[in-house]
Amino acid sequence: MRVIAKSSLVNFWSQPQGADAKAALQSWYDEAIKADWKTPQHVKDQYRGASICGNNRVVFNIGGNKYRLIVEMQYRVGIVWVKFIGTHARYDQINAETINEY
């Protein structure tokens, strides 16, 4: 998959409040770029804890569920768009299907 944009992940883990997410986000990124997700079920097969939402969104638990990563999947063309990275508490305040923070 092509992840757009890794810079969003780097920006998040470069901030003091997100520094402890670096290893988990880097691991997710490394796995995502090697993946060939064609359907939401393919994502669930690899990440059982992922939540499939409307608007082609997928929510990943990062860092032992301390953080949430929301992406928009474009399965046909193999693109993963980073839409949100934040704490679980911040995630509770947003709409996963419409957020477009990054």
Side-chain angles (χ1 to χ4, degrees), residues 18 36 38 45 63 69 97:
D36 186 24
K38 299 289 186 196
D45 290 345
L69 169 65
E97 295 181 11

Side-chain angles (χ1 to χ4, degrees), residues 77-90:
V77 293
I79 295 176
V80 178
W81 293 85
V82 174
K83 297 297 184 177
F84 171 86
I85 311 162
T87 63
H88 195 162
R90 172 84 172 98

Side-chain angles (χ1 to χ4, degrees), residues 6 14 18 32 34 39 41 51 56 68 78 90:
K6 183 180 182 183
S14 296
K34 294 174 187 170
T39 67
Q41 187 59 52
S51 299
N56 293 321
R68 294 290 177 99
R90 172 84 172 98

Side-chain angles (χ1 to χ4, degrees), residues 42-60:
H42 289 153
V43 177
K44 289 291 282 183
D45 290 345
Q46 186 169 354
Y47 289 96
R48 299 224 181 272
S51 299
I52 308 300
C53 303
N55 203 19
N56 293 321
R57 303 292 176 98
V58 180
V59 180
F60 294 93

